[in-house]
Amino acid sequence: LGAGQRTPLMLAHQRRVLTLLCSAATGTTALVLSRAAVVRSTPTAILGNLMASKKFGGPVVMGDESIMSQKAHGTSNTPVQQGLRWNCDVATADRICNFNRHYAEFAGYWETTTFLKDEPVDAGEVSFYDSNTGKLLFFAPKSRSWEDFVKESKSHGWPSFRDDEVNWEYVRVLPDGEAVSVDGTHLGHNLPDGKGNRYCINLVSVAGKPVA
C-alpha cells in the first residue's frame, strides 16, 4: 500500500512493529515477537518491507518468486490430498497451502489435531510430507530429543524445525523468509532465533501421505 492508502491505525501499527524490531535487534528489550504478532497481525505489505531480501546462513537453499507463480490450483498444480494425516482439516490446508502467502493456521492448531496422540514419544523420527504432492519435506526430531522438538513447537505455536530436519531437495526459502516447497506449496516462514534458523511450519501444509 502507498502512504496515502494507509490508515492512521496501520501507520501506528507499522511504527510500533518497527520500534519493537529495532529494540529487539539492539538488545534494548527482552521482547520476542511471535509469529502470530509479526506474520499474522502485521499487514503483509509492511511485513514484506521489513523482511525483504534477507539472506539466511547455514544450509538454506534459497528460491525465488517464480516458484510461487500462479498455476492450475493457486500456487500449486494440484489441490491438497484428501484424508490428510493427523485429522488435519482439508479446506484449511488447501487455503493455506495454495491460496496464501503470509497467513497461518492459528497458533496451537497442531495440538488440536491427533498428531501428539498418533506420534508417541517413542515414535522415533517422524516424516512430514507435502500436503499437495506427498513429497518428503521434513523429518524430526533429528540431533535432539522428541521432547525438545515438542517443547519448542508448543512454545512457538507451530511445529518448529531446524536446519538438519529439512529436506533441501524439495524445500526452499524465499528472500522474505517464506518457506515453500519446490512445487509451490506455502509451508510457513523461517524465523531465526538465537539457536539459528527456525522453520515455523503449518502442520496442515506437511500432513500429506507419501506418494510413490
Side-chain angles (χ1 to χ4, degrees):
L1 293 176
Q5 295 174 284
R6 298 174 188 170
T7 66
L9 180 60
M10 289 179 66
L11 290 171
H13 185 86
Q14 180 182 19
R15 286 193 294 271
R16 180 171 180 272
V17 170
L18 286 169
T19 299
L20 294 175
L21 285 172
C22 290
S23 297
T26 57
T28 57
T29 177
L31 176 65
V32 176
L33 295 179
S34 70
R35 186 182 182 201
V38 176
V39 175
R40 192 167 56 187
S41 73
T42 303
T44 55
I46 297 174
L47 179 65
N49 289 335
L50 291 173
M51 299 183 69
S53 301
K54 186 174 179 64
K55 293 183 179 180
F56 302 96
V60 175
V61 178
M62 300 296 291
D64 58 46
E65 279 293 320
S66 65
I67 297 173
M68 300 301 282
S69 62
Q70 288 300 300
K71 304 180 185 69
H73 190 76
T75 56
S76 175
N77 281 318
T78 61
V80 299
Q81 300 173 354
Q82 295 297 311
L84 293 173
R85 297 164 72 195
W86 308 306
N87 201 33
C88 286
D89 183 72
V90 171
T92 299
D94 198 51
R95 184 173 63 254
I96 288 176
C97 290
N98 300 316
F99 299 95
N100 160 69
R101 300 293 305 279
H102 304 287
Y103 293 92
E105 65 196 20
F106 65 80
Y109 171 84
W110 71 283
E111 294 184 70
T112 71
T113 70
T114 62
F115 178 81
L116 291 175
K117 178 181 178 182
D118 294 347
E119 309 296 344
V121 175
D122 59 354
E125 192 175 284
V126 176
S127 297
F128 298 81
Y129 300 91
D130 191 320
S131 292
N132 285 321
T133 66
K135 293 178 180 178
L136 177 63
L137 302 181
F138 300 92
F139 26 77
K142 198 173 184 67
S143 303
R144 57 174 169 171
S145 69
W146 175 254
E147 291 83 357
D148 287 342
F149 169 72
V150 171
K151 181 179 179 181
E152 181 172 64
S153 297
K154 284 184 174 181
S155 173
H156 294 293
W158 290 265
S160 296
F161 301 91
R162 294 293 174 171
D163 285 333
D164 57 356
E165 296 171 328
V166 183
N167 181 6
W168 292 110
E169 182 177 359
Y170 298 125
V171 176
R172 298 290 182 268
V173 177
L174 304 190
D176 66 352
E178 182 183 6
V180 302
S181 78
V182 294
D183 296 292
T185 306
H186 172 81
L187 304 175
H189 287 81
N190 178 21
L191 300 175
D193 60 13
K195 298 178 182 179
N197 293 311
R198 178 174 61 82
Y199 308 93
C200 204
I201 303 299
N202 296 291
L203 187 65
V204 297
S205 298
V206 292
K209 297 175 182 177
V211 175

